Amino acid sequence: MRSVRWLAVPLLAVVLAGCGPSGPRVVRVNGTLTHKGKPVQSALLNFLPDKGRQSWAITDANGRFKINYDEHQDGAVVGNHRVWIEYRANTDAEKEAALEGRPAPLAQEMTAFFEKYSHANSKLDVKIDSGTSELKLDLD
């Protein structure tokens, strides 16, 4: 019985060491999404790092966004991220169309934009480092 207790103490120390503040390095990042210089509103940006938890952001009417890591922390993991962008329905008609599997009633140019940067097609990569606080995405 004594040997079991002596084994438990080092094991407990190892487990507790993994529970401290040594988690992934996350930095707060705000940004702007524009298409040909004009703000893109109602966009859901997804940031998938090479390693770690995915982050996301939603643009406002001015194309501004704040990256969210989880419900308690803003930001993104330091490192390279694949980014894809989805349109986020706002109006009741857009929400209904989404529920029925119909495309949102967007201008053809914006439909092409969201298709180009969709999960299946996006080639957009960004690097988040410890000094990144503002991310400007001016996409064509």
Side-chain angles (χ1 to χ4, degrees):
M1 185 73 166
R2 276 187 164 166
S3 62
V4 173
R5 280 189 223 154
W6 287 109
L7 289 173
V9 172
L11 180 60
L12 183 60
V14 169
V15 170
L16 291 177
C19 296
S22 63
R25 174 97 168 104
V26 175
V27 294
R28 288 181 166 209
V29 181
N30 294 310
T32 307
L33 174 64
T34 57
H35 171 60
K36 297 182 179 178
K38 295 181 182 174
V40 177
Q41 64 180 353
S42 302
L44 170 63
L45 293 91
N46 300 278
F47 296 83
L48 182 63
D50 292 339
K51 295 179 183 176
R53 172 184 283 190
Q54 178 176 328
S55 295
W56 72 96
I58 298 173
T59 60
D60 65 14
N62 298 314
R64 298 274 313 144
F65 61 85
K66 172 184 69 175
I67 299 179
N68 301 282
Y69 181 69
D70 62 24
E71 64 184 51
H72 304 289
Q73 185 174 11
D74 295 333
V77 174
V78 170
N80 293 316
H81 295 252
R82 173 57 49 108
V83 179
W84 70 92
I85 305 169
E86 303 170 33
Y87 181 73
R88 187 160 191 259
N90 282 311
T91 67
D92 289 339
E94 291 173 342
K95 291 174 184 177
E96 184 178 322
L99 286 172
E100 295 174 357
R102 292 183 285 122
L106 295 172
Q108 185 176 5
E109 181 179 14
M110 292 312 296
T111 299
F113 171 84
F114 285 107
E115 180 63 25
K116 179 177 181 178
Y117 294 101
S118 69
H119 184 263
N121 298 327
S122 183
K123 306 283 188 253
L124 179 60
D125 290 312
V126 298
K127 183 174 184 172
I128 305 287
D129 59 35
S130 59
T132 305
S133 62
E134 190 70 26
L135 187 62
K136 295 190 184 306
L137 300 174
D138 187 18
L139 307 176
D140 60 359

